[in-house]
Amino acid sequence: MEGWGSGLAGVIIFSGSLPATRVAVADFSPLFLTSARAVIAALLGAALLLALRQPRPSRDTLLSLAIVALGVVVGFPLLTALALQYITSAHSIVFVGLLPLATAIFGVLRGGERPKPLFWLFSGIGSATVVGFALNSGGEVSLVGDLLMVAAIVACGLGYAEGAKLSRTLGGWQVISWALILSLPLMAIIALVSLPETFAGIDGSAWAGLAYVSVFSMLIGFVFWYRGLALGGIAAVGQLQLLQPFFGLLLAAVLLHERVSPLMLVTTLAIVLCVAGARKFAR
């Protein structure tokens, strides 16, 4: 239960990522937004590591840290920022419902987990429900945006599973902090190259979006999320991501004034039942 509680806290924090990104890309380029959020989070992570005197990771963990960085520091933020130039935040959010399946698959490939067959049934039903909701939710539809979101989900699933495996020995917040530091030199260069010509005219909401994805989405959320995955299991706790689209849609409705349809509420109930079923057969 401790793992599930920590995982749920991470999901709630991550739910604000896409609405915040949607607001931020209105004034910042996707490349600058991705690199700037990584640089800010890396500096915060480095301060935490120094303040708490954490030992350096061993050399045999560098490959895993690089995979984490590629998946959740670079891949998912950049691909979603690009996607949100073509589709609405509400449309993009529902793709996050595919994350549990992606995380579970990579958990099997990279983490050595072996869920029961019924786990895959409930996971598949839950993911199909989310896809069905996406196809029937209306709004802006773009093949390019959808493909970018699918690629983002694959990258994120790999980063989640790899980070969860590593956090069992290194610690959850330490994993994301070291992954951020590993990517810092490259991200700092990209941030300087993609720096806006002027910051005049950039709306306060864009700055708020950058702050949220830098501090909460890129660092604090992972403290809870990786801890939850390590304690409760990658495949099991990963199913909580099925709830993330609906937390995100609620935030999108409040922050971006997007309509919340009755279909969303019905689908939410179906997703909750799938999460409960998947949890029961996860081990």
Side-chain angles (χ1 to χ4, degrees), residues 113-168:
E113 296 191 355
R114 294 294 183 269
K116 296 178 181 178
L118 284 176
F119 163 85
W120 296 107
L121 176 62
F122 280 106
S123 180
I125 293 174
S127 297
T129 302
V130 172
V131 172
F133 177 80
L135 295 175
N136 290 280
S137 61
E140 181 181 348
V141 177
S142 166
L143 178 60
V144 174
D146 288 353
L147 290 177
L148 285 168
M149 282 304 305
V150 171
I153 295 307
V154 173
C156 194
L158 173 59
Y160 278 175
E162 193 70 25
K165 183 185 71 171
L166 193 56
S167 66
R168 294 168 181 167

Side-chain angles (χ1 to χ4, degrees), residues 35-255:
S35 55
R37 66 187 279 181
V39 169
I40 294 170
L43 295 176
L44 293 174
L48 281 175
L49 291 169
L50 288 173
L52 299 177
R53 299 180 179 180
Q54 296 296 302
R56 292 183 180 180
S58 59
R59 289 185 177 182
D60 59 356
T61 64
L62 291 180
L63 177 59
S64 289
L65 286 172
I67 293 174
V68 173
L70 180 64
V72 301
V73 176
V74 181
F76 183 78
L78 179 59
L79 291 167
T80 52
L82 291 170
L84 285 167
Q85 293 186 316
Y86 298 94
I87 56 179
T88 64
S89 85
H91 188 81
S92 70
I93 286 168
V94 293
F95 282 86
V96 177
L98 297 174
L99 259 177
L101 190 57
T103 304
I105 291 172
F106 284 115
V108 170
L109 296 176
R110 300 291 302 172
E113 296 191 355
R114 294 294 183 269
K116 296 178 181 178
L118 284 176
F119 163 85
W120 296 107
L121 176 62
F122 280 106
S123 180
I125 293 174
S127 297
T129 302
V130 172
V131 172
F133 177 80
L135 295 175
N136 290 280
S137 61
E140 181 181 348
V141 177
S142 166
L143 178 60
V144 174
D146 288 353
L147 290 177
L148 285 168
M149 282 304 305
V150 171
I153 295 307
V154 173
C156 194
L158 173 59
Y160 278 175
E162 193 70 25
K165 183 185 71 171
L166 193 56
S167 66
R168 294 168 181 167
T169 55
L170 194 59
W173 70 270
Q174 292 93 333
V175 168
I176 189 60
S177 295
W178 286 117
L180 285 163
I181 290 174
L182 186 63
S183 63
L184 178 58
L186 177 61
M187 290 294 100
I189 293 173
I190 294 175
L192 290 174
V193 172
S194 60
L195 196 70
E197 294 183 1
T198 177
F199 290 106
I202 295 179
D203 193 77
S205 60
W207 287 111
L210 174 60
Y212 186 91
V213 296
S214 301
V215 178
F216 290 95
S217 303
M218 201 79 266
L219 184 62
I220 296 178
F222 281 101
V223 174
F224 291 98
W225 182 240
Y226 278 148
R227 182 172 181 270
L229 290 176
L231 291 175
I234 298 173
V237 175
Q239 295 308 294
L240 287 172
Q241 294 166 110
L242 285 169
L243 301 176
Q244 186 172 328
F246 306 102
F247 289 131
L249 282 172
L250 178 61
L251 292 174
V254 174
L255 299 176

Side-chain angles (χ1 to χ4, degrees), residues 254-270:
V254 174
L255 299 176
L256 305 180
H257 308 293
E258 295 182 354
R259 179 175 173 268
V260 178
S261 67
L263 178 61
M264 189 201 80
L265 301 178
V266 174
T267 310
T268 301
L269 177 59

